[in-house]
Amino acid sequence: MTRIFSGVKPTGHLTLGNYLGAVRQWVAAEQKPDEALFCVVDLHALTVEHDPARVRRLSRQAATLLLAAGLTPEKCTLFVQSHVDEHARLSYLLECTASDGELRRMVQYKEKAAKAQASGEGVRLSLLTYPVLMAADILAYRTGEVPVGEDQRQHVELTRDLAVRFNQRYGYTFTVPKATHPVVAARVMDLQDPTSKMGKSGDAGPGVVFILDEPEAVRKKVMRAVTDSGDGGVVYDPAARPGVANLLDILAACTGGEPAALADGYTGYGALKRDVADAVVELLRPVRVRHAELAADPGTVEAVLRAGAGRARAIARPVVDEAYRAIGLLEP
C-alpha cells in the first residue's frame, strides 16, 4: 500500500488552478486502495508578511473547501499542519541535512525573495528554509506519492535528495517519495497573463478564477481572457499561443477531452470562451453548494480536523522518533 500526502497553503482563496492542478487529484487519490493524508500547511503561510486573523480564516476555509470538493474523512486523513508537532520537530533535523546552496537555488525562493525586496520588506529566513519544512511534511509519514502541481516539482526533488542523504548517513529511515501530476491543467495560467500561474497569493485580479466565485463572475473573467494576436484560428500551441492553449487546457481538464483535439472544434475565440465559461461554472457549482452547507456547520469541520490530527500524529511520531535516534540524539 502506497501512502499519499499533499498540502495546501492558506495564503489566499483557493483558485480554479488549485482545484484542477491539485484538489481534484486528491479526491481521486482517496478512491485508491492507498492511504491518503491531506494537510492545510498553515506554518508555510508564516514565511511572508501576513495577517494572523486572515491566516486562521483562510485555514478554516481551505479545510472546508477540501471537504466540499469531495474529500471524505472515512477514506483519508485531513488535518492542519500546526496541530501535529512532528512537522516542526523533523524540519530541524532536515535543516541539519540540507545545504545552504541547494536551498538558495530553489526557484520559488528566488522569485519570492526578489518580490519581497522590491516591495521594501525584509526576506524572512523561513522563506529560505520552508522547502525543508515541506520535506518534513512529506517524510514524516513515509510518503510514497506526492500529488502536486508542476510548480512544486523542484521541492519534491529536494525532498527525495534529503531522504536519500539522511538514509545514507544515518541508516534507512525515510521512504523516498515521487511526485505525481495530472495529465492536463497541471499548471493553470492567469487568464490575463497566460505566462504566469493562476496563483491564490497575488492580487484578486480579473485573471484569477476562485472556487467560490459566483457564476457570473466566472463567466466575466473567462470571456475577458487574453487570447493571442494573429489570424491562425484556434490552435493548441502552448509556446506560441499561450492564451488559447490555457483556455483549451482548462476546457480539457473540465470535460475530459484532449486540448489539441478540442481546438479542431472551434473557428473563433468567442465560442471557445463561452464553452470554457460554461464548463468551469458547472464544474465548480457542486463545490460551492457543499461549501455553503459546511460553512453553516463549523463544528463538523473542526471535529474532522481534530480526528485527522490524531491519526496523523499516530503515524508521524514513531517515524520522527526513529529519525531522532538515528541522527544521534538521546531518548528522553
Side-chain angles (χ1 to χ4, degrees), residues 105-138:
R105 287 193 294 271
M106 294 289 107
V107 172
Q108 286 200 20
Y109 169 72
K110 294 178 181 179
E111 293 175 348
K112 292 181 178 181
K115 183 177 179 180
Q117 289 171 336
S119 64
E121 299 176 6
V123 180
R124 300 187 182 192
L125 178 61
S126 57
L127 186 62
L128 176 65
T129 60
Y130 95 89
V132 177
L133 176 57
M134 179 177 170
D137 299 337
I138 297 166

Side-chain angles (χ1 to χ4, degrees), residues 1 6 26 38 48 128 180-181 184 193 242 274 278 299:
M1 180 179 293
S6 200
W26 299 0
F38 303 112
V48 294
L128 176 65
T180 58
H181 308 278
V184 295
D193 179 10
R274 284 191 292 273
D278 288 343

Side-chain angles (χ1 to χ4, degrees), residues 23-165:
V23 175
R24 198 166 63 166
Q25 280 192 88
W26 299 0
V27 175
E30 75 167 13
Q31 305 304 317
K32 300 178 182 179
D34 298 310
E35 186 172 10
L37 298 98
F38 303 112
C39 183
V40 178
V41 287
D42 54 346
L43 294 175
H44 291 293
L46 311 184
T47 60
V48 294
E49 191 67 30
H50 64 277
D51 173 14
R54 186 170 187 265
V55 170
R56 285 191 291 270
R57 184 171 65 253
L58 290 175
S59 296
R60 186 175 294 106
Q61 183 188 87
T64 304
L65 272 173
L66 293 179
L67 292 171
L71 291 184
T72 52
E74 295 79 17
K75 295 181 179 179
C76 71
T77 299
L78 176 63
F79 65 104
V80 175
Q81 179 190 30
S82 63
H83 294 176
V84 181
D85 294 344
E86 279 63 34
H87 292 250
R89 289 180 62 208
L90 181 56
S91 183
Y92 181 72
L93 298 195
L94 296 179
E95 285 183 14
C96 297
T97 308
S99 72
D100 175 78
E102 62 190 342
L103 294 181
R104 293 189 186 278
R105 287 193 294 271
M106 294 289 107
V107 172
Q108 286 200 20
Y109 169 72
K110 294 178 181 179
E111 293 175 348
K112 292 181 178 181
K115 183 177 179 180
Q117 289 171 336
S119 64
E121 299 176 6
V123 180
R124 300 187 182 192
L125 178 61
S126 57
L127 186 62
L128 176 65
T129 60
Y130 95 89
V132 177
L133 176 57
M134 179 177 170
D137 299 337
I138 297 166
L139 298 180
Y141 299 97
R142 292 201 170 117
T143 302
E145 292 184 9
V146 188
V148 292
E150 181 63 31
D151 60 316
Q152 293 295 326
R153 182 188 293 272
Q154 188 182 31
H155 290 160
V156 178
E157 287 303 313
L158 174 66
T159 300
R160 290 171 54 85
D161 291 343
L162 295 179
V164 169
R165 191 177 306 158

Side-chain angles (χ1 to χ4, degrees), residues 256-267:
E258 173 65 32
L262 289 170
D264 294 337
Y266 297 96
T267 57

Side-chain angles (χ1 to χ4, degrees), residues 195-248:
T195 63
S196 299
K197 186 182 74 166
M198 184 182 288
K200 65 182 181 298
S201 300
D203 296 333
V208 179
V209 174
F210 296 104
I211 295 176
L212 294 179
D213 273 347
E214 295 290 338
E216 284 311 304
V218 173
R219 294 184 193 281
K220 183 179 295 185
K221 291 176 180 180
V222 174
M223 294 307 295
R224 293 179 178 177
V226 169
T227 48
D228 310 295
S229 60
D231 300 321
V234 179
V235 178
Y236 185 69
D237 186 345
R241 311 284 295 280
V244 174
N246 188 39
L247 290 172
L248 289 166

